Amino acid sequence: MPAYILRRLIQALLILLGVSIITFALLYLLPADPARQVAGRTASVEQVQRVREQLGLNLPIWQQYGRYLWHLLQGDLGRSYLQRSQVVDLVFPRLPATALLMVGSIFFELILGLTFGLIAALRRNSTLDQAIMAMTFVFVSMPAFLLGLLLLYFFAVYLGWFPIGGYGEFKHLILPSLSLGLLGAGWYAQQMRSSVIEVLRQDYVRTARAKGLSRARILVLHIVPNALLPIIAMIGLDIGYFMGGAVLVEAVYGWPGIGQLTWQAIQQLDIPIIMGVMLVVAFAVAMGSLLADLIAPFVDPRIKLR
Amino acid sequence: MKRLMMSVSLAAMLAVGIAAFQTAKADEPKQGGEMTVTFHDDIPTLDPAIGYDWKNWSMIKSLFDGLLDYKPGTTEIVPDLAESYTISPDGITYTFKLRHGVKFQNGRELKAADIKYSIERAVNPKTQSPGASYFGSIKGYDDVAGGKATELSGITTPDDYTVVVQLSHPDATMLHVFAINFAYAVPKEEVEKYGADFGHHPVGTGAFKLAEWTSGQKIVFARNKDYYHAGLPYLDKITFELGQDPVVALTRMQKGEIDIPGDGIPPAKFVEVTHDASLKDLIISADQLQTGYVTMNVNIKPFDNVLVRQAVNMAINKARIVKLINGRATVANQPLPPAMPGYEKDYQGYKYDVAKAKELMKQAGLADGFETDLYVMNTDPQPKIAQAIQADLKAIGIKANIKSLDQSLVIAAGGKKDGAPMIWSGGMAWIADFPDASNFYTAILGCGGAVDGGWNWAWYCNKALDDRADKANAITDPAKQAERNAEWGKIFEDVMKDAPWAPIFNEKAYVIHSKRIAGKDNSVFIDPIHIPVNYDVLFAKDAQ
Amino acid sequence: MYIIKELLKRKLALLGLLLIAVIVLAAIFAPWLAPYSPEDQLADGLTDIGEPLAPSSHFWLGTDLLGRDLLSRLIYGARASLIIGLLANGIAVAIGALIGVTAGFMRGWFGAALMRFTDLMMAFPSLLLAIVLAAIFRPSLWIVVIVISMVNWVQIARVLYTETTSLSEREYVTAERSIGASTFRILFRHILPHLIPTITCWATLGIATTVLLEAALSYLGVGVQPPTPSWGGMINENQSYFQSFPWLVFYPGIVIAVLALSFNLLGNALRDILDPTLRGRH
């Protein structure tokens, strides 16, 4: 096991390297000139050139990347072009909020998705099943911003049960998590339904039934654990996905997550911030994937870590 | 980045907004209380030498001060850190006498050396200040900007309370430069202590000081009790909440949770809010120093033909576009906005005439039309406006393909010689840094701006007009200002003859605030220099 | 043959098929079906203060912010949305299935390498890629197809990988392996049939999400540019206005959901038909 984890960590580092190279290359290809942004719109061509040299943007790309990597190894993610602060000071304070939202969203995705998916599978082809399936499509087709806004208006403004956005206490977490949870629950519901139906088909289930085990026992002992396998994979994916931030929901609720920082940085071509965020996301993805692979054998003992 | 929005001079404002002012009852300012302002985007920096974003521009004005300032609610220049100033008759020497007893927020008294240091810092290339070039007229600028010297030979401090600035040539805009953020006083010891992080630990002489900054979440200003303008500011505390969507911010304001949605009234809510009787007194509107225009790149065929450019001017139904944005603007026929000195009231410009436009196209040999690209920024409502323009162009045979991109990409395309044939400037339009006509020419219509990465997206370069512009800028005699403005008016008239632009509309500014916040009159809410509001002179009606 | 017969017996499947046919026909015959051109900013399409018109007998689904007929835009929009929802999504699912199943079945270092590649693509800055492409190329729906195909296969690959690894370890598979059965036989007889339900549900849900993703990409300048209509794009540009003019968001949203749901109904029915345990019992 430890050898496996070590191997995966090394592979994660390689992934980080790969992502950083790709991101750097893409940013280099963009026609916009960050030096001009920093130097300001009234700057002369000489002044822009001077800024370009100060930022090292006149060097060949491989040299620029080398410098970036060298600083990175010393823990220096660089300074934002426009905000002039250290990237770590901009990115790291937002990570707790992003992580919280990730946990909350996955929580709601699971609660809603697994429950309704299970019900739909057990009542296969009934009207209830059809209704649940239709609802999943409605929610999956909804734009995130709109759903967030609707929930905010209904629960916070109209009913007043929750504060109108904000951050800091548990009650602030509910609505944003619910918004993201509803959007993703449809996938979990469909997958759960699909998996449960598959499991119900298995011989060992029929054997268990024939042996006279109660439905509940069969459910808990056989169906759910086996149906959970793809769900575990999805959770691993979601960890990586949500750590990238959910810019639209964050904007609606004023949630200080990493999504808004990224979006603004991309629009302003603030390269150091973009690079920093991409590294965080890549790391989260690698960790999410590792976590899912580590948990899988517990759910299905036949799977061996190789 | 959106730019500073300027507004009308006091006279024009009275003419335009009298109704708005008369409905506002004058309340007595009270000391104390708090206010909350929201913004969608993060605030990058509060360093006066660097901050150039419309949001932090006014925040910096509350944390710092400069030699000169503008009277609140107007564009009139008044002494600020300087008690008085004199200008030599040849327009070369400016002598400022500083106030005594002005303290930085760290307790130290402001001296003349601080002013010299602050301006030199802005020019020093190490600071990477976007406003460095504004000080170009000061003697010794080239040496400092070129990295050869660290001191501006043109600034001397004969004693602790006198600053003498010598220019290399007379410059009519110099007073505005001394009032601009980049010239604000910063304490050397704090700058050296924090280095590049000074922007997040600002220390100035202003009405407020920075009490708290939680990155990405909120910024808190606390009243500077030692502020040298006695009685100001009124508020004890201002909280800036960041990362708030404008639509949600508006709802929160209606619920009484916040006081001012910093991003204004979003287009989606505009009609609803302006027709809501309960909000009527809380919405203030005024003209801004802004023009929305379509640029035509004279380097790209067939826009090198003036007939085509004139045809475009006549083909666009500007009134319909203004209707599409729910009347939030007024139709424009020249580059200068109505509030800018130099604006010509009687100028007719190009009238909307589709038949005449088609005629011009035929004369240009393009009766069958042509295909081209129209660049636009992708945030609402710019693509909408671009589509309206596209439909109008189609009527005279021009097939304009819309390229709706991120702002930085459109700006980059505009800065390339053969980058963008047409650009709708909405959302990125040039907004004056100070209320002077020259600011609307040099960078966006002058030859100096027609360079790689420049903002003259039409790549229009008329040497004769550039010469006239320089001559107009040399008229520093205050008695001759009317003559100077008239000359500017004529310069822009001649620009329109060449029609590198099709001016479309002048957007109005709208500010909405909660009931509990007030100013001595509504002018503070649409202060031409402070966007969205002048934080120093607002007060809370419910202060204890 | 048998499948078609069975399909016709199921009401819901028929409903799904019908809806899909309607949408496909609308896309193909748009110029004949739409009452107006989707790009015409009609003079009578707005109120006096420039607001869109609500649905009425004149404009069945109302007009949009520029005075264009919503119904016509919806009909023409089917083209872009079908290309994205079916083609782009289909390619993404195919790639994902290929990689996920191969990695799960082969295991070993090859499987691990494929999965790490999957992780890499998951962290891939697709947003940046879209922006770069928008700056370099002429916007076109095909760029969107490429971007979506490059990016959207990751999740299904991961899920199928996990399922395949579990399936590969089942007793009957190891049994077959030990008697030297060919890889193909194992794959096609024992593993793939169990994966079909997952593939179906991801493929059909993916239709909805890719249509919305196309809107985001077009916003960045990559895909369809205004005024070409696409359902996702219509939702995107109008969502802030939903309080005042809900039809602008409601109708495109409903059609997207209906399209995805129809395929899902079809897929579910197919899965029931192909389910060996149900055969003969229905």
Side-chain angles (χ1 to χ4, degrees):
Chain A
M1 176 77 120
Y4 179 76
I5 297 185
L6 189 63
R7 235 192 345 211
R8 286 296 294 265
L9 285 176
I10 297 177
Q11 289 168 355
L13 245 69
L14 288 174
I15 292 176
L16 284 179
L17 194 67
V19 169
S20 70
I21 294 178
I22 294 175
T23 310
F24 206 82
L26 283 175
L27 289 169
Y28 187 76
L29 285 174
L30 277 173
D33 182 9
R36 166 54 78 169
Q37 284 246 29
V38 173
R41 57 185 192 164
T42 52
S44 68
V45 181
E46 296 84 40
Q47 282 167 323
V48 177
Q49 181 58 25
R50 197 166 303 121
V51 170
R52 193 169 294 125
E53 283 163 25
Q54 283 172 327
L55 295 175
L57 292 168
N58 56 331
L59 299 168
I61 180 175
W62 55 268
Q63 224 180 319
Q64 285 186 48
Y65 182 69
R67 279 172 69 166
Y68 180 76
L69 209 55
W70 176 238
H71 287 293
L72 192 62
L73 289 172
Q74 296 170 36
D76 177 10
L77 282 169
R79 263 184 194 279
S80 150
Y81 287 160
L82 291 156
Q83 301 218 24
R84 310 292 174 103
S85 9
Q86 298 269 18
V87 172
V88 281
D89 291 331
L90 291 169
V91 171
F92 281 47
R94 292 181 183 257
L95 291 181
T98 312
L100 264 177
L101 191 56
M102 170 193 77
V103 170
S105 309
I106 293 182
F107 173 76
F108 276 113
E109 280 179 331
L110 290 176
I111 292 277
L112 295 169
L114 298 186
T115 316
F116 284 104
L118 187 61
I119 296 175
L122 294 176
R123 298 262 175 276
R124 187 178 179 183
N125 289 330
S126 69
T127 356
L128 186 59
D129 178 27
Q130 311 298 354
I132 293 177
M133 287 301 103
M135 283 313 286
T136 62
F137 279 95
V138 168
F139 278 107
V140 163
S141 314
M142 267 201 149
F145 182 74
L146 194 55
L147 183 61
L149 215 54
L150 283 173
L151 287 177
L152 184 72
Y153 276 149
F154 187 65
F155 288 107
V157 180
Y158 182 62
L159 286 177
W161 289 357
F162 297 98
I164 308 181
Y167 174 72
E169 291 168 57
F170 185 67
K171 59 184 176 180
H172 292 119
L173 182 61
I174 306 282
L175 284 183
S177 306
L178 185 60
S179 305
L180 288 172
L182 273 172
L183 288 171
W187 293 85
Y188 283 86
Q190 285 271 355
Q191 179 64 53
M192 185 67 173
R193 174 186 183 272
S194 198
S195 305
V196 169
I197 291 176
E198 270 303 289
V199 171
L200 281 171
R201 288 175 31 188
Q202 298 302 325
D203 290 333
Y204 58 81
V205 171
R206 276 186 284 164
T207 331
R209 279 230 186 96
K211 279 206 271 185
L213 273 104
S214 76
R215 285 200 72 191
R217 255 181 95 93
I218 301 178
L219 207 62
V220 172
L221 282 180
H222 294 281
I223 299 181
V224 171
N226 280 284
L228 277 186
L229 212 48
I231 303 287
I232 304 285
M234 287 171 75
I235 296 178
L237 286 168
D238 266 345
I239 292 177
Y241 174 68
F242 282 123
M243 280 316 282
V247 53
L248 296 167
V249 169
E250 285 174 24
V252 169
Y253 293 97
W255 192 262
I258 215 174
Q260 297 221 55
L261 180 71
T262 317
W263 187 246
Q264 236 184 302
I266 289 182
Q267 287 186 311
Q268 296 169 339
L269 285 185
D270 203 329
I271 295 180
I273 298 185
I274 299 175
M275 291 294 295
V277 176
M278 288 304 149
L279 286 174
V280 168
V281 169
F283 184 71
V285 166
M287 288 305 110
S289 170
L290 175 59
L291 207 66
D293 284 342
L294 284 177
I295 296 185
F298 289 97
V299 171
D300 185 348
R302 287 170 296 198
I303 297 180
K304 292 185 271 289
L305 289 177
R306 303 249 193 96
Chain B
M1 288 190 278
K2 300 204 197 98
R3 304 300 169 187
L4 175 65
M5 296 189 284
M6 295 302 198
S7 178
V8 314
S9 65
L10 188 56
M13 235 169 43
L14 285 173
V16 163
I18 266 198
F21 299 166
Q22 282 176 341
T23 52
K25 294 202 193 69
D27 277 289
E28 273 312 301
K30 284 199 227 144
Q31 182 67 254
E34 312 180 350
M35 178 168 85
T36 309
V37 182
T38 63
F39 288 120
H40 182 222
D41 292 336
D42 212 352
I43 302 291
T45 174
L46 289 174
D47 185 335
I50 298 175
Y52 199 18
D53 195 306
W54 65 266
K55 293 181 288 288
N56 59 12
W57 195 251
S58 333
M59 290 169 78
I60 288 173
K61 284 183 184 294
S62 288
L63 293 173
F64 297 88
D65 296 296
L67 287 170
L68 304 175
D69 199 357
Y70 297 89
K71 194 147 146 223
T74 76
T75 56
E76 190 189 320
I77 291 186
V78 294
D80 199 7
L81 283 179
E83 219 167 36
S84 63
Y85 65 93
T86 52
I87 312 176
S88 66
D90 58 4
I92 296 286
T93 311
Y94 289 71
T95 310
F96 296 93
K97 289 262 182 261
L98 290 181
R99 280 179 204 257
H100 291 246
V102 175
K103 294 227 184 66
F104 280 110
Q105 285 145 11
N106 64 357
R108 175 169 81 71
E109 192 190 357
L110 171 87
K111 298 276 170 57
D114 293 311
I115 304 286
K116 181 169 153 79
Y117 169 76
S118 305
I119 296 183
E120 282 166 353
R121 177 173 180 254
V123 178
N124 190 330
K126 281 211 190 63
T127 316
Q128 290 176 0
S129 163
S133 57
Y134 280 116
F135 302 102
S137 307
I138 300 183
K139 207 151 74 159
Y141 170 81
D142 290 321
D143 285 337
V144 178
K148 293 202 214 71
T150 48
E151 273 200 45
L152 279 170
S153 58
I155 305 185
T156 50
T157 55
D159 63 63
D160 274 344
Y161 298 99
T162 311
V163 181
V164 178
V165 182
Q166 277 204 312
L167 306 182
S168 48
H169 56 263
D171 185 341
T173 64
M174 213 55 207
L175 284 180
H176 291 291
V177 173
F178 288 119
I180 210 173
N181 289 20
F182 304 112
Y184 281 7
V186 295
K188 182 171 172 175
E189 66 274 16
E190 299 288 341
V191 173
E192 284 175 354
K193 178 163 135 197
Y194 288 107
D197 285 323
F198 178 68
H200 286 258
H201 299 92
V203 175
T205 59
F208 288 94
K209 54 181 170 204
L210 180 71
E212 184 194 323
W213 189 336
T214 315
S215 175
Q217 286 184 49
K218 73 170 179 220
I219 296 177
V220 180
F221 280 8
R223 178 161 83 94
N224 178 5
K225 297 201 171 65
D226 297 319
Y227 191 46
Y228 58 91
H229 283 299
L232 288 183
Y234 299 114
L235 292 166
D236 277 339
K237 179 168 130 177
I238 305 182
T239 308
F240 298 92
E241 292 188 7
L242 310 172
Q244 293 278 311
D245 178 77
V247 171
V248 178
L250 201 60
T251 311
R252 289 183 68 201
M253 191 217 82
Q254 290 172 292
K255 283 248 153 183
E257 281 187 25
I258 62 155
D259 296 300
I260 299 181
D263 300 290
I265 308 175
K269 294 282 230 175
F270 185 73
V271 175
E272 175 196 327
V273 163
T274 47
H275 284 78
D276 185 339
S278 67
L279 297 173
K280 239 180 165 36
D281 288 337
L282 305 173
I283 302 177
I284 303 122
S285 83
D287 293 328
Q288 303 177 95
L289 284 175
Q290 185 266 16
T291 309
Y293 46 87
V294 176
T295 62
M296 291 171 272
N297 191 332
V298 305
N299 288 327
I300 301 182
K301 284 192 180 338
F303 293 110
D304 52 346
N305 187 334
V306 63
L307 292 172
V308 173
R309 301 199 295 268
Q310 290 174 338
V312 168
N313 264 280
M314 294 193 208
I316 300 180
N317 187 342
K318 303 176 190 179
R320 182 174 80 104
I321 293 180
V322 168
K323 191 168 120 174
L324 279 175
I325 54 171
N326 307 121
R328 238 178 134 138
T330 49
V331 171
N333 63 8
Q334 53 191 283
L336 289 179
M340 182 75 91
Y343 176 78
E344 306 203 315
K345 262 204 310 284
D346 301 319
Y347 179 69
Q348 289 303 308
Y350 297 99
K351 289 251 185 298
Y352 174 54
D353 190 336
V354 179
K356 185 99 201 288
K358 284 204 195 135
E359 177 58 37
L360 285 175
M361 290 285 283
K362 214 161 95 175
Q363 274 176 33
L366 289 163
D368 294 328
F370 59 91
E371 196 173 329
T372 186
D373 291 326
L374 173 63
Y375 282 68
V376 61
M377 178 178 145
N378 52 13
T379 16
D380 192 51
Q382 311 311 335
K384 200 169 80 174
I385 299 172
Q387 288 175 72
I389 297 174
Q390 185 191 45
D392 287 339
L393 292 176
K394 195 157 143 202
I396 65 167
I398 303 180
K399 181 167 187 293
N401 298 317
I402 292 184
K403 290 202 79 157
S404 167
L405 303 167
D406 263 358
Q407 189 185 55
S408 54
L409 289 178
V410 179
I411 295 174
K416 271 206 333 240
K417 189 141 186 248
D418 51 1
M422 295 181 93
I423 301 181
W424 159 239
S425 71
M428 317 167 281
W430 186 265
I431 303 168
D433 288 319
F434 45 76
D436 188 283
S438 65
N439 201 265
F440 242 83
Y441 178 81
T442 327
I444 45 181
L445 287 169
C447 294
V451 295
D452 254 345
W455 279 65
N456 185 341
W457 297 337
W459 286 79
Y460 176 68
C461 178
N462 187 326
K463 279 260 174 290
L465 287 181
D466 263 19
D467 286 338
R468 282 165 62 189
D470 285 338
K471 284 209 186 66
N473 279 343
I475 303 176
T476 52
D477 185 355
K480 295 224 190 106
Q481 285 313 301
E483 183 189 313
R484 177 166 177 264
N485 289 330
E487 172 59 13
W488 270 111
K490 294 218 181 42
I491 292 177
F492 281 106
E493 243 183 76
D494 289 337
V495 167
M496 280 311 288
K497 284 207 188 83
D498 278 335
W501 283 10
I504 307 287
F505 59 60
N506 302 109
E507 222 182 298
K508 291 210 199 91
Y510 285 85
V511 174
I512 186 171
H513 65 92
S514 68
K515 289 196 189 65
R516 49 181 291 275
I517 297 295
K520 70 168 170 30
D521 61 50
N522 274 342
S523 66
V524 300
F525 285 108
I526 21 154
D527 189 310
I529 315 291
H530 294 73
I531 305 298
V533 292
N534 187 336
Y535 301 116
D536 293 357
V537 297
L538 288 178
F539 59 88
K541 289 197 217 168
D542 57 3
Q544 306 304 329
Chain C
M1 341 105 348
Y2 166 73
I3 296 183
I4 311 259
K5 247 186 64 192
E6 284 297 313
L7 214 52
L8 289 173
K9 276 202 235 162
R10 292 165 157 77
K11 286 203 283 272
L12 282 176
L14 279 181
L15 179 63
L17 214 52
L18 185 67
L19 290 171
I20 294 173
V22 165
I23 294 176
V24 170
L25 288 173
I28 299 177
F29 294 107
W32 290 274
L33 289 171
Y36 299 91
S37 156
E39 308 184 1
D40 268 348
Q41 298 169 21
L42 304 161
D44 56 346
L46 295 171
T47 64
D48 293 328
I49 47 172
E51 289 180 307
L53 299 170
S56 63
S57 51
H58 187 187
F59 299 107
W60 290 5
L61 297 183
T63 58
D64 75 351
L65 294 164
L66 280 163
R68 298 177 294 206
D69 178 40
L70 202 67
L71 177 62
S72 308
R73 283 182 71 76
L74 218 55
I75 293 176
Y76 273 88
R79 294 180 166 180
S81 310
L82 279 177
I83 292 180
I84 294 303
L86 300 186
L87 190 61
N89 186 43
I91 296 177
V93 170
I95 297 178
L98 189 64
I99 293 188
V101 175
T102 313
F105 191 65
M106 305 289 282
R107 307 307 308 281
W109 67 267
F110 184 59
L114 275 181
M115 276 301 107
R116 297 297 79 75
F117 173 65
T118 308
D119 286 343
L120 181 71
M121 291 311 284
M122 170 90 185
F124 191 88
S126 44
L127 209 62
L128 265 184
L129 177 67
I131 296 177
V132 170
L133 291 176
I136 300 180
F137 296 104
R138 290 213 76 83
S140 124
L141 211 50
W142 303 108
I143 300 185
V144 176
V145 173
I146 293 175
V147 174
I148 290 182
S149 308
M150 271 181 66
V151 161
N152 264 31
W153 59 263
V154 185
Q155 289 130 319
I156 195 172
R158 190 98 183 103
V159 173
L160 288 178
Y161 166 75
T162 314
E163 286 198 16
T164 312
T165 50
S166 165
L167 286 168
S168 309
E169 302 295 328
R170 297 274 160 89
E171 294 81 16
Y172 47 81
V173 174
T174 39
E176 292 257 345
R177 272 209 175 109
S178 64
I179 63 169
S182 84
T183 319
F184 267 127
R185 184 186 147 88
I186 301 177
L187 212 57
F188 280 94
R189 274 212 67 191
H190 295 284
I191 300 197
L192 277 180
H194 295 270
L195 296 176
I196 297 222
T198 306
I199 297 181
T200 314
C201 95
W202 279 78
T204 54
L205 279 174
I207 293 177
T209 47
T210 45
V211 169
L212 290 174
L213 184 57
E214 174 272 317
L217 291 173
S218 297
Y219 173 80
L220 292 171
V222 181
V224 291
Q225 290 293 286
T228 314
S230 75
W231 296 344
M234 287 159 77
I235 292 187
N236 226 20
E237 66 192 11
N238 296 320
Q239 49 183 344
S240 323
Y241 296 84
F242 83 96
Q243 245 193 326
S244 316
F245 319 117
W247 62 91
L248 294 178
V249 180
F250 181 72
Y251 290 116
I254 285 288
V255 226
I256 295 175
V258 164
L259 178 66
L261 187 56
S262 310
F263 272 98
N264 189 271
L265 290 174
L266 202 59
N268 269 341
L270 276 174
R271 182 244 199 121
D272 280 354
I273 296 170
L274 296 171
D275 183 345
T277 59
L278 286 184
R279 224 171 272 172
R281 264 204 251 156
H282 180 77

